[in-house]
Amino acid sequence: MNQDNEQEYIEKLETGIPGFDFLSEGGLPKGRATLVAGTAGSAKTVFACQFLAEGIKRGENGVFVTFEEPPKALRKNMRGFGWNISQWEEERKWAFVDASPQPGDKPMVTGEYDLGALIARIEFAIRKYKAQRVSMDSLGAIFSHFMDMAQVRSDLFRLASALRELEVTAIMTAERTQEYGEISRYGVEEFVADNVVILRNALADEKRRRTIEILKYRGTDHQKGEFPFTVISNKGLVIIPLSAIELEQKSSNIRITSGSEELDRMCGGGFFRDSIILVSGATGTGKTLMVTEFMAGGVANGERCLVFAFEESREQLFRNATGWGVDFNRMEQEGKLKVVCRYPETTGLENHLISMKEMIEEFKPNRVAVDSLSALERVSSLKGFREFIIGLTSFIKQKEIGGLFTSTTPNLLGGASITEGHISTITDSIILLRYVEMYGEMRRGITVLKMRGSMHDKDIREFSIDNKGMHIGKPFRNVTGILAGTPTYTAQAEVERLSGLFEERS
């Protein structure tokens, strides 16, 4: 059999770990050993346990060989993920091979330690339980007994060969000393395993970010590079594969109301049903009011609306809405509105993204609003924030839901925010809210900067806010430099003179 045909015949075993089977393009190569390397706290043991737990759910028994934590501690630690290991042991689906150090054991001297007996115990457990999956955690504990690297390599090779002969799919975990350096502590583990997966828990800007990378997959293809993941109670590892996002969502010509008749006219008849709208403005310009009106407009049309608020509490949002003549309480009682308030710092962005997706799946809204994305910038690195935005917007688009996001600009009189830089190309519409300083008075201006697939009003219009909400008025004809943040008043005669010049030319 030539090498080209051989690649086709590498069968893969679905791990069941969310996102991993996509990255690995089908799962782990069947009947082979995979090394999972990572620093302390990178979720190696969780990965190893989850591999067996998901196998048991699919009717595949497993053997867990532990060299560090005693089985009692593992049973207790893994209960938080919803895995009842004791029950699986009783049902003869999960077996432990306990090679963890016992209290009072003397350290072994090189030459006394032989892997033969351990391999025999592992083989016995695999045959007895008819196991198809094996996890070994962690190899570093065995090799601390050896000083000779050649001995480490040959024993590890013996172990991998024994597992291959038994035709089991195995995971071996190994420690790393740094996030971006040598793959494993002893520098030989990765050469013996057919496949190498690296888990990272890197610290950047005082924030931790977990990523997974498939470094080596002998004879088979896989997704390249690092992908974010998180560890969630009652679930375990959840990988967020951004490369799974496809630009294949449908597009709708149906328009939905923004909640303001005048703004609908400015947008050429309202927003498209499946569009992403970014509302950008300084603090106090009326972004939350636009969210409130967007929700009220949806409920009035019999649509289900979901709000994620990261800056204001539930009571504050409801009070503000009442002040603008919108009754959020009644909408919620009718089951048309759901308001979710969370402080951004409560968890990482990956966890926020997963819980937001779950709520969207559960509530099945027609409209989603996020107020505000800028609050989420604080809790992540720029890369993590960009991934969060891409993950959320693509998910909303796939579901054909209308999404309205708000973003706070750092300057009162204009200027772009980081959020705009990351999201502006993904959005279908951008609405800018700006303060305009005129003769010692602060006024507010609104303009539709971008509207994909539709004509829209190009004017910067003045608007006011009262107890009935937003009222959009006439354009600022005598003021220039509003968007640049340097409003300059121009006399009416000058405006007419300039208009005349353009008319003559045309």
Side-chain angles (χ1 to χ4, degrees), residues 368-469:
V368 171
V370 179
D371 186 34
S372 100
L373 286 176
S374 305
L376 293 164
E377 278 178 29
R378 304 196 298 261
V379 296
S380 172
S381 62
L382 276 179
K383 191 171 177 15
F385 182 62
R386 193 182 302 125
E387 285 168 353
F388 167 81
I389 284 176
I390 292 166
L392 183 61
T393 49
S394 62
F395 181 76
I396 288 174
K397 270 190 165 294
Q398 267 173 353
K399 297 280 177 194
E400 294 181 49
I401 295 169
L404 187 133
F405 301 159
T406 70
S407 153
T408 308
T409 52
N411 305 323
L412 277 181
L413 292 172
S417 69
I418 298 168
T419 316
E420 281 173 52
H422 290 318
I423 197 179
S424 55
T425 52
I426 304 165
T427 53
D428 301 297
S429 308
I430 297 177
I431 295 168
L432 297 184
L433 305 178
R434 290 288 185 260
Y435 282 119
V436 184
E437 187 186 355
M438 287 178 69
Y439 302 117
E441 186 186 354
M442 277 300 228
R443 297 188 185 177
R444 294 185 178 96
I446 183 169
T447 187
V448 179
L449 190 69
K450 165 184 166 184
M451 185 87 190
R452 269 188 193 146
S454 171
M455 290 293 290
H456 62 88
D457 195 328
K458 312 294 189 297
D459 291 330
I460 300 172
R461 311 269 291 269
E462 185 175 356
F463 73 94
S464 60
I465 298 172
D466 63 14
N467 59 2
K468 288 193 176 69

Side-chain angles (χ1 to χ4, degrees), residues 343-381:
Y343 207 56
E345 277 78 3
T346 51
T347 185
L349 271 194
E350 290 83 10
N351 293 37
H352 276 305
L353 177 61
I354 289 161
S355 64
M356 286 165 86
K357 280 183 176 181
E358 281 174 359
M359 278 178 200
I360 292 167
E361 290 274 17
E362 187 189 316
F363 189 68
K364 294 182 171 55
N366 305 96
R367 298 180 178 211
V368 171
V370 179
D371 186 34
S372 100
L373 286 176
S374 305
L376 293 164
E377 278 178 29
R378 304 196 298 261
V379 296
S380 172
S381 62

